[in-house]
Amino acid sequence: MAAEVKLLSRNFGSPESWTLSSYERAGGYRTAVKALRMDPAAVTEEVKQSGLRGRGGAGFPTGMKWGFVPKDSNSPKYLCVNADESEPGTFKDRYLLELDPHQLIEGIVITSWAVGIHRAYIYVRGEFGLPYHRLQAAVDEAYAKGYLGPRSFGTAFDLDVTIHRGAGAYICGEETGLIESLEGKPGRPRIKPPFPAVVGVFGGPTVVNNVETLSAVPWIIENGAAAYRSYGTEKSPGTKLFSVSGPVARPGVYEVPLGLPLKTLVYDLCGGIRGGKAMKANIPGGSSVPVLTREEAEGADLDYESLAAAGTMLGSGGMIVIDEETCMVRALSTLMKFYAHESCGQCTPCREGTGWLRGLVARLEAGGGSPADMDKILSITNRMIGTTICVLSDAAAMPAASFVTKFRGEFERHVGAGRCPFRSDPLLAGAARRQDHA
């Protein structure tokens, strides 16, 4: 497909692409050798100049984040790789771990050299089976070849990498919740400041980067910042992996230049909506970002600035496409059930708010709500956003507010009909009510 630009995903589809031999046949690890001959500050500067922004959701400039780590710290410095990909609708890091784990390891080597780190942890989502096993095998291969461990690549640089499996908690995708979990504590986010770059793992300065972010580093150092900036837009340079799910003809992971029109991804690369149906809505950045109407989505470009102007966010690039036959109230009910379950309970607005949202939306979906419930949902979301230690509360409140605001007519139809109007079979409607209250 012409609109795809495969920088990070160039090895996807190669025979046994996850093995060291396959990676080296494609030129892998030559950039690590190059980086280890460079001044560490020059490596960081190249990443800064590339404009690479964190691909986990926040979009913070990567090189600047590395620069926050004190150079003269007396405490050990650490790198934490966030591989706890748990955002509903997002599965592109899973592809990177399964299909090209050595690219990530090479990014870890280069990043650690640049920042002066000798110990890296990869925090892997607990539910990941195949990605974990392939990543562990890749780490073992890198140790056996002398790329990891003492005197990495035959230099005076030492680097150890440890894989840590999570236990399946969404909150551990938040960087300080991840650090707490890594230290053996409950995965509850910390109050910031201090930020991890100053006080992170075991009290040491810590860089926390996402899998996709670190996987982009080898290409940038190999080809230069200017080459990376030749893709994307001025403020959102480079490429981005989007994981597209929903009723499109060809769901999957696509690497495209930032700034690509959203409709090009949905209608051209993904083949449009199955069955000739229309797109009703689109969640472009994972379930925690505000939903777009069809008209908003078709006018948006896939970069940080364009999506912010449209009232949503690029997030993790987990795009959920919704067709005209999907009940928006039921879709929101599913999301609220997830967030109520995943709240760690540390902050009152999140602990109570997610539960209230779940109950209100489930009641509306089952036809038992009242017209006042929509305004009550909006009132609750106003009190959840920006009032907690981490953004899980916002992650529940923002989609809830956008669904009710943009698709209020569907919520009102549920109240008026006393049932979900998208369910024509009363037996199915009853089964759905029982499931929602389970």
Side-chain angles (χ1 to χ4, degrees):
M1 294 294 179
E4 280 195 274
V5 176
K6 297 187 175 183
L7 308 185
L8 281 66
S9 58
R10 62 190 181 281
N11 294 328
F12 290 6
S14 299
E16 298 190 318
S17 60
W18 53 92
T19 62
L20 178 60
S21 58
S22 176
Y23 188 63
E24 290 193 307
R25 279 197 301 274
Y29 285 115
R30 287 189 301 207
T31 309
V33 174
K34 172 185 175 181
L36 290 170
R37 292 171 178 162
M38 294 171 63
D39 184 272
V43 176
T44 298
E45 184 61 25
E46 197 69 28
V47 173
K48 277 185 183 176
Q49 292 301 319
S50 75
L52 175 66
R53 297 166 67 168
R55 302 302 195 216
F60 194 82
T62 302
M64 186 181 297
K65 194 173 194 178
W66 295 1
F68 289 154
V69 175
K71 291 182 175 54
D72 54 352
S73 172
N74 292 323
S75 301
K77 303 173 191 175
Y78 299 98
L79 171 63
C80 271
V81 183
N82 189 343
D84 192 50
E85 186 178 55
S86 307
E87 176 89 351
T90 309
F91 47 91
K92 42 89 180 176
D93 286 350
R94 192 187 78 193
Y95 273 53
L96 288 167
L97 294 171
E98 284 184 6
L99 299 177
D100 207 351
H102 282 286
Q103 180 177 230
L104 170 63
I105 295 170
E106 188 170 18
I108 291 171
V109 172
I110 297 169
T111 302
S112 298
W113 169 250
V115 186
I117 290 168
H118 299 286
R119 167 69 71 177
Y121 294 97
I122 308 174
Y123 189 101
V124 180
R125 178 181 174 182
E127 293 92 337
F128 278 175
L130 183 60
Y132 162 74
H133 291 294
R134 285 192 173 168
L135 179 62
Q136 184 64 66
V139 167
D140 293 343
E141 284 184 309
Y143 266 105
K145 200 71 181 286
Y147 297 167
L148 297 177
R151 300 183 59 78
S152 173
F153 289 90
T155 69
F157 179 62
D158 302 336
L159 176 63
D160 284 303
V161 174
T162 301
I163 300 176
H164 180 95
R165 297 189 78 174
Y170 173 74
I171 194 63
C172 291
E174 196 278 341
E175 61 180 7
T176 59
L178 182 155
I179 289 171
E180 287 283 297
S181 175
L182 188 62
E183 293 179 350
K185 306 169 191 169
R188 291 177 176 155
R190 299 174 178 174
I191 294 175
K192 295 180 280 190
F195 291 93
V198 180
V199 180
V201 176
F202 308 122
T206 302
V207 171
V208 184
N209 278 150
N210 159 269
V211 169
E212 184 183 351
T213 309
L214 291 170
S215 295
V217 170
W219 196 95
I220 291 170
I221 298 303
E222 178 184 2
N223 297 280
Y228 190 71
R229 295 193 75 96
S230 68
Y231 302 103
T233 69
E234 180 180 354
K235 293 183 177 178
S236 296
T239 63
K240 175 86 185 78
L241 270 65
F242 287 87
S243 43
V244 184
S245 61
V248 292
R250 293 187 291 273
V253 173
Y254 295 85
E255 183 176 7
V256 300
L258 286 165
L260 185 80
L262 186 151
K263 59 185 179 184
T264 300
L265 177 57
V266 172
Y267 296 125
D268 295 343
L269 292 174
C270 295
I273 313 300
R274 289 197 302 265
K277 297 172 187 169
M279 178 168 66
K280 178 193 284 186
N282 188 295
I283 303 174
S287 65
S288 60
V289 309
V291 66
L292 297 174
T293 64
R294 173 185 174 181
E295 293 74 20
E296 291 172 333
E298 290 181 344
D301 294 334
L302 295 171
D303 60 74
Y304 295 98
E305 292 72 30
S306 297
L307 289 172
T312 186
M313 293 183 286
L314 183 71
S316 60
M319 180 179 290
I320 303 171
V321 180
I322 300 172
D323 72 13
E324 59 186 326
E325 293 187 350
T326 299
C327 171
M328 297 301 286
V329 183
R330 180 157 176 74
L332 181 60
S333 180
T334 301
L335 292 182
M336 293 304 101
K337 188 175 183 179
F338 171 80
Y339 286 110
H341 177 73
E342 295 295 340
S343 172
C344 77
Q346 186 174 205
C347 305
T348 303
C350 182
R351 182 183 64 243
E352 301 299 327
T354 53
W356 291 345
L357 291 178
R358 179 198 172 188
L360 282 166
V361 178
R363 188 169 71 189
L364 282 163
E365 201 278 331
S370 72
D373 285 344
M374 280 79 85
D375 291 329
K376 193 177 294 182
I377 289 172
L378 295 177
S379 175
I380 292 169
T381 58
N382 282 337
R383 289 164 172 76
M384 292 173 65
I385 295 174
T387 60
T388 51
I389 293 173
C390 79
V391 295
L392 192 147
S393 182
D394 300 50
M398 289 191 297
S402 65
F403 269 67
V404 171
T405 302
K406 297 179 180 181
F407 298 93
R408 191 175 184 113
E410 284 195 25
F411 288 79
E412 292 172 343
R413 286 173 61 194
H414 281 71
V415 174
R419 66 178 182 84
C420 175
F422 288 82
R423 302 180 198 278
S424 56
D425 187 331
L427 292 177
L428 289 177
R433 280 197 292 274
R434 289 191 292 276
Q435 181 181 348
D436 286 335
H437 290 287

